[in-house]
Amino acid sequence: MTGRIILLTTTHRIAPGLLSWPAWEALRGADRVLCADAAHPQVPYLREAGVAVETAEPDARELVDACAGGATVVVVAAADGEPRLTDGLARLAGSGRVEMPSLELLPGSYDVPGARLVDVVQVMDRIRRECPWSSGQTSPGLAAHSLEEVYELVEEIEAGDLEAVREELGDVLLQVVFHARIAEEDPEEPFSIDDVAGTLVEKLVRRHPHVFGDAVAETPADVKAHWLREKAIEKRRTSVTEGIPLAQPALSLVAKLAGRARTAGLTVQVPGGRPADGGGTQAGSRNGAPAAAGNGARKDEASAVREGRGAAAPADDPVDGFGAELLALALRAEAQGVEPERALRAAARTYREAILTAEKAGSRSEGPSASTGSPGAR
C-alpha cells in the first residue's frame, strides 16, 4: 500500500475553524497533519478540536516517504496553495521511478457570494496605513472624486459597455470603502464598513416588508408605496422636499421634486407660469398617478414653449426667463416619463458628434497647413 496525500485548502475569507465535514473527517482520520506555517489561522482551531498539527515543511520526496505502509498525510496548505510542494510531487510522478501515493486536493472551505469584498476591505486598510497620498485624504477632499466616479458609471451604463460598467462599479465601490475607512478614524463618531453594511441591510429589510414580512406587494407601484411609507416613518419628514439633495444637476433636481409632488398629490403653481384651469388645478398624468407640480400650469407652460412664446412674461433678469423655460421643459419631460437629465445628455452626445463632424470637415477644407496656425488663431 502506498498511502495517501491530501492537500487541504482553505480560504481566508471564511472565519477559521469553519471547515466542511469531509475536511474534518480527513483531519481526524489522518496519520499525520502537517502545516509549514506555524501562524496559519486554522492551526489554533484544529488543535483546539484535538487534531495534532505538526509544524513541518517536507519536500516532495519526504512527503512520499511519510506515506509508506499506507499512511495518510494531510497537508494544511498555505494561502498560495503550496506550489513548491505540488510541483515537486508532479516531477516525481512524471519520472516513473517512484511509486506514488494517491494525491487528493480537498477544499476545506469555500468562498461565499460577496467574499471578495473582504479582500477589498483588507487592501484598503493597508493602503490607508501605508500610502502617503491615501493616508492624508479626508472625506470632504474625496467628495469631488466620488461624484466623478458616479458620473463615469452612468456614462458607461448608458453606453452599454458591460466590461466598462464592471470597472466603474469597482471605482464607485472604492469610494464607499475609502470613506468608511476614513470614518473609522473619526475621534467623535467613528464607524466602519461593517456599520455601513449593517445599516444598509436593516434598511433593505425594513423597506421590503413584502419580502421579509407579511405585507403584500403584487405590482411595482405597491413596492414603491411600501418603500415610501417606511421611509416616511423612518425620517419623520414634514415636507416631500426633504432628503432631495439640492447640489444635484438642475434637471434631475426638477424631475425629483416633480415626482415627489405627484406622489403626494399636490397642485403646485409653477414659478413664472400662467395658471390654467382656474389657477393650476390638477390634470391627468402618466400611469394613472395623480398630477403634480402644477399640471394645469405645466400644460400652459408647454404650449407656450411649443409656440415659441417662452414660459413666462419677459423678465428683467434673463436668467429668470431662461430658468422658467428650462423648468417648463423639464416638467414636460418628467410628466411624460422622460428623465430630463438623461434626455439632455443624449442630445449633448449627439451635439458632440456634430462638433466632431464639423471639425473634420473644417480640417479637410483648410488643408494640411490648417494645423500650423498661430496660437492666437486657435
Side-chain angles (χ1 to χ4, degrees), residues 191-222:
F191 61 82
S192 68
I193 189 66
D194 287 319
D195 297 317
V196 173
T199 300
L200 175 59
V201 169
E202 291 172 2
K203 178 186 293 186
L204 290 174
V205 171
R206 190 168 55 247
R207 294 188 184 178
H208 289 79
H210 54 289
V211 176
F212 301 98
D214 299 327
V216 176
E218 298 179 350
T219 67
D222 294 338

Side-chain angles (χ1 to χ4, degrees), residues 2 8 49 76 129 186 208 232 285 340 372:
T2 56
L8 181 68
V76 180
R129 287 185 282 107
D186 189 276
H208 289 79
S285 67
T372 59

Side-chain angles (χ1 to χ4, degrees), residues 49-238:
V51 176
V53 182
E54 303 174 38
T55 302
E57 190 175 3
D59 60 25
R61 186 59 197 240
E62 292 171 338
L63 190 58
V64 170
D65 291 343
C67 294
T72 295
V73 179
V74 173
V75 177
V76 180
D80 61 0
E82 304 289 349
R84 185 188 64 83
L85 180 60
T86 55
D87 289 347
L89 290 170
R91 284 193 297 270
L92 283 178
S95 71
R97 297 191 298 269
V98 178
E99 186 177 7
M100 296 293 293
S102 65
L103 303 175
E104 179 181 344
L105 177 65
L106 177 61
S109 58
Y110 300 85
D111 287 347
V112 297
R116 292 305 301 271
L117 293 174
V118 175
D119 293 344
V120 175
V121 174
Q122 291 179 342
V123 169
M124 185 69 252
D125 183 62
R126 182 171 179 179
I127 289 174
R128 177 65 173 175
R129 287 185 282 107
E130 300 180 17
C131 173
W133 183 85
S134 299
S135 60
Q137 296 307 302
T138 64
S139 280
L142 289 174
H145 295 287
S146 302
L147 187 60
E148 180 180 350
E149 296 298 353
V150 172
Y151 281 140
E152 290 179 4
L153 171 61
V154 171
E155 181 177 350
E156 298 302 345
I157 289 174
E158 293 180 346
D161 187 337
L162 292 183
E163 184 175 347
V165 168
R166 182 176 66 179
E167 180 179 353
E168 296 303 333
L169 282 170
D171 290 342
V172 172
L173 176 60
L174 168 60
Q175 296 300 311
V176 174
V177 176
F178 204 163
H179 284 283
R181 178 61 183 81
I182 292 172
E184 289 185 36
E185 303 167 8
D186 189 276
E188 297 180 358
E189 297 182 73
F191 61 82
S192 68
I193 189 66
D194 287 319
D195 297 317
V196 173
T199 300
L200 175 59
V201 169
E202 291 172 2
K203 178 186 293 186
L204 290 174
V205 171
R206 190 168 55 247
R207 294 188 184 178
H208 289 79
H210 54 289
V211 176
F212 301 98
D214 299 327
V216 176
E218 298 179 350
T219 67
D222 294 338
V223 174
K224 185 176 182 180
H226 284 311
W227 182 277
L228 293 175
R229 181 165 55 251
E230 294 298 325
K231 190 172 182 178
I233 295 172
E234 293 171 22
K235 301 297 184 179
R236 301 180 184 274
R237 289 170 174 164
T238 59

Side-chain angles (χ1 to χ4, degrees), residues 345-361:
R345 218 168 24 245
R349 281 196 295 269
T350 302
Y351 181 51
R352 177 179 179 272
E353 294 301 319
I355 292 174
L356 293 173
T357 300
E359 287 177 334
K360 292 177 182 177

